[in-house]
Amino acid sequence: MAIRPVDSERCIGCGRCIRACPVDVIRLDVDTNKAKTIYPEDCMCCACCEDDCPVGAIYVSPEKHDPLMVSWR
Amino acid sequence: MEHMTCDVLVIGGGTAGCFAAVSAKKAGADVLVADKASGGYAGASIMASGFWSVFNPDWGMDYDATLCWINKNSSYLNNRDWTELFLRESWQTYLDLQDWGVPFPVPEKEIQSFFQKSIIGDDAAGHHDDDPHTHYGIVPLRHRAVTPALRNYAEGIGVHFLDRVMITDLLERDGRVFGAQGFPLETGKSFVIRAKATVLAAGRNYFKSPGMNISGQTGDADAMGYRAGAVLSGKEFPDMHMNIARHPMWKGNGEVYPAYFQFEDAMGRRLPNRGFDLSLASTIHAGYGPILWDFGKATENDLRAIDEYLKKRGNPKEIERVGLDPRGGGQYPMIGGAAAGGCQEHTAGLWPFDTDCASNLTGLYSAGDSCATWVWGAIVQGPPPGLAPAAITGKRAGKAAARFARASEAVELEGSELGVFSARAFRWLERKSGYDPRWVIQLLQNYMMPWYVLHIKSAERLTSTLELVRFLRGHMIPRMKAADPHELRLAHEADNMSLNAEMILRSSRMREESRGWHFREDFPSERDEWLAWVLIRKDENGEMVLSRAPVPEQWRPSVGTAYASRWLAWEHPHGEEEQKWQYGL
Ligand SMILES: Cc1cc2nc3c(=O)[nH]c(=O)nc-3n(C[C@H](O)[C@H](O)[C@H](O)COP(=O)(O)OP(=O)(O)OC[C@H]3O[C@@H](n4cnc5c(N)ncnc54)[C@H](O)[C@@H]3O)c2cc1C
Ligand code: SF4
Ligand code: SF4
């Protein structure tokens, strides 16, 4: 959930998603020069990375892990 | 270990940090901005997609009427010096944005008509609304366009940005702050930045609540200021932002709310004040949940208004992400704690001892959400605008810091100091085993985020929660284990958030009254003796001490006049009538 693995076929290694992520979820893999989600569990679903990726290599699902539990139903 | 020096160090590169950096640079200082994410791409600033607030008499706004309205809406807890600075300086900050290349979605000429038609007087759907914005102007913003442009401009004039460097603590000796310490997220190497003057502009505290895109704001500024000996204030007034439960991170909400606020409780009653207050929490507390945003009741006029907003400002991708379909007539459950743990914009933070944002520590200034200007006081009706005040405090702090730097000598590190600073910063990395910082954060969320702790308060619940938080601070925090620099950042954040939690709980317990967005079930009304601010600091023994600073006599309302004329009683949540149904009292 939240950020899905980066589509490495598309990724051109520009680093914009890394700059866009406020909470350090994504890093650049130095060997492949592609973006990689290293800490997906810390993703807050803001989709800034997805918005900034020039080649559409990122998809962020709005659901974070489990559906948010609300007090009243 | 890497050593760096500069005249002015700005911690945090949001709106306040960028404005501070630019004004310090223009005053001749050599400026470094350190950000734990990327300066210009993080903080509340990058998520703020609504409006830049301005006061401009040329748009037909009246200075005295606006000031009077803000005083009332602040329940007289505003620091009037800062409210007046907002009235006098906000327009210039908007002109600065234009000069510095910030793009706006609506052309200048259209802004006036947009705001007159939609915000002042009648809105696009023909509702007359007594929105707080009636009293000042608001310029629509393009999402994620402001701070990236500010950063660009700042770099253009020679400001240096250190990205992805987590600042952990201020360097302080005998009440003099001379820079900060931190580490880059990639290498985890120790960074020591010595500065003649330091501006803390690292935003607010939230508890990484599952909403509002605020997981990066963990009260680091307030925590490091507190540890260094700064006086803080404003922790008892919570932020009340709400959002839809399906996707509480939705940043496009501002595109639809202004056109159509129809929040209802389970009995089908419309919530007052557009939900930007205690009404969500109190409705749940009184047993009338859930709260639904009901598009089934939208008239054709409403739908046209929504379309117009979306056309002008909407991000279609966002709407799709959220699955919002206004014309489909759905009911969307709302959550009230989308901003859980945050204090109101510019209420909590370091106490500014003058209008240059100086703290009580020599060489330390604060700006933006880290500076407790109390510009909007206790807030009765929100949301309060944070961006323009962040720019105003940033400009003032940056300029004053540059002036201070020019007149002072660099401070050298002494003997064992570095070892002491480093040991604190890296202690969680060195442990072989320990608690996972993420788990500690989750515990803290469970303690702090329920509405009956943070929003609908009582002495007993505050005291019990304080016990839990104290235990967490004493037992879990020292025993966390960070596997790498990323987790080390999380460990620092957990420590900082829990310190903020303690400040919130203690201040909330001390204020034995209800005012604006601070509500105490056991003291449900305003009490005139609480026309005062709570100040927080660390004493010589390292204990947290709270004190009370009365609002100056000349800023108080006349207590001889009737309640209704002193406050905005018609919309005030602590009037008797409202209490009856809102709180089930
Ligand atoms: C979702 C949302 C919408 C909003 N909408 C509006 C609006 O429409 N209009 C309005 O006027 N106000 C709005 N506000 C309020 C406004 O955004 C804030 O008041 C304002 O952005 C504060 O700016 P700042 O520079 O003080 O802090 P921030 O923008 O939060 O910047 C703080 C910076 O400090 C960095 N930082 C934090 N800790 C550290 C550390 N330890 N080391 C290094 N760097 C650190 C962060 O990464 C960040 O870049 C909104 C707030 C939110 C959350
Ligand atoms: S959605 Fe936001 S938090 Fe998640 S990886 Fe992308 S930028 Fe980071
Ligand atoms: S923004 Fe897109 S292309 Fe650039 S590094 Fe990230 S995933 Fe790759």
Side-chain angles (χ1 to χ4, degrees), chain B residues 375-421:
Chain B
V375 58
W376 312 118
I379 290 284
V380 175
Q381 201 189 43
L387 293 166
I392 293 168
T393 46
K395 272 174 96 162
R396 293 184 151 263
K399 195 167 163 192
R403 198 185 321 124
F404 178 85
R406 212 167 32 243
S408 60
E409 296 293 319
V411 179
E412 301 296 331
L413 279 159
E414 280 174 5
S416 60
E417 265 179 343
L418 198 55
V420 176
F421 289 134

Side-chain angles (χ1 to χ4, degrees), chain B residues 164-199:
Chain B
R164 302 167 62 72
V165 171
M166 170 77 187
I167 299 295
T168 56
D169 266 301
L170 299 167
L171 305 178
E172 180 269 338
R173 186 192 315 135
D174 303 330
R176 165 77 161 106
V177 169
F178 56 103
Q181 201 210 4
F183 60 88
L185 297 177
E186 267 83 7
T187 63
K189 191 159 117 180
S190 171
F191 268 28
V192 174
I193 309 166
R194 282 187 301 114
K196 291 177 182 166
T198 305
V199 180

Side-chain angles (χ1 to χ4, degrees), chain A residues 22, chain B residues 10-18 34-53 141 147 162 165-168 201-204 206 212-214 216-221 224 239 241 243 249-251 253 313 339 345-346 367-371 383-391 393 489 493 496:
Chain B
V10 179
I11 304 173
T15 308
C18 286
D35 200 297
K36 68 179 174 183
S38 296
Y41 289 85
S45 300
I46 197 70
M47 305 303 171
S49 52
F51 304 91
W52 194 273
S53 48
L141 299 174
T147 41
L162 273 181
V165 171
M166 170 77 187
I167 299 295
T168 56
R204 262 185 279 181
Y206 297 95
M212 303 297 288
N213 311 311
I214 45 185
Q217 290 139 268
T218 52
D220 303 351
M224 58 183 123
D239 186 334
H241 274 82
N243 217 326
M249 295 70 185
W250 180 27
K251 41 199 184 300
N253 51 18
R313 315 249 331 276
E345 276 103 318
H346 306 280
D369 285 354
S370 309
C371 180
L387 293 166
T393 46
R489 167 181 159 169
E493 291 180 340
N496 292 341

Side-chain angles (χ1 to χ4, degrees), chain B residues 14-15 18-19 22 97 100 102 145-155:
Chain B
T15 308
C18 286
F19 267 88
V22 166
L97 296 182
W100 302 350
V102 174
V146 178
T147 41
L150 295 183
R151 177 193 174 132
N152 205 19
Y153 178 82
E155 279 184 317

Side-chain angles (χ1 to χ4, degrees), chain A residues 2-4 17-26 37 39-40 42-51 58-61, chain B residues 47 144 213 215:
Chain A
I3 187 170
R4 300 289 169 80
C17 54
I18 297 157
R19 182 183 66 179
C21 181
V23 289
D24 188 30
V25 168
I26 316 164
T37 52
Y39 305 102
D42 295 325
C43 172
M44 59 171 165
C45 310
C46 67
C48 293
C49 52
E50 181 182 329
D51 286 347
I58 296 182
Y59 172 69
V60 180
S61 146
Chain B
M47 305 303 171
R144 300 187 69 231
N213 311 311
S215 294

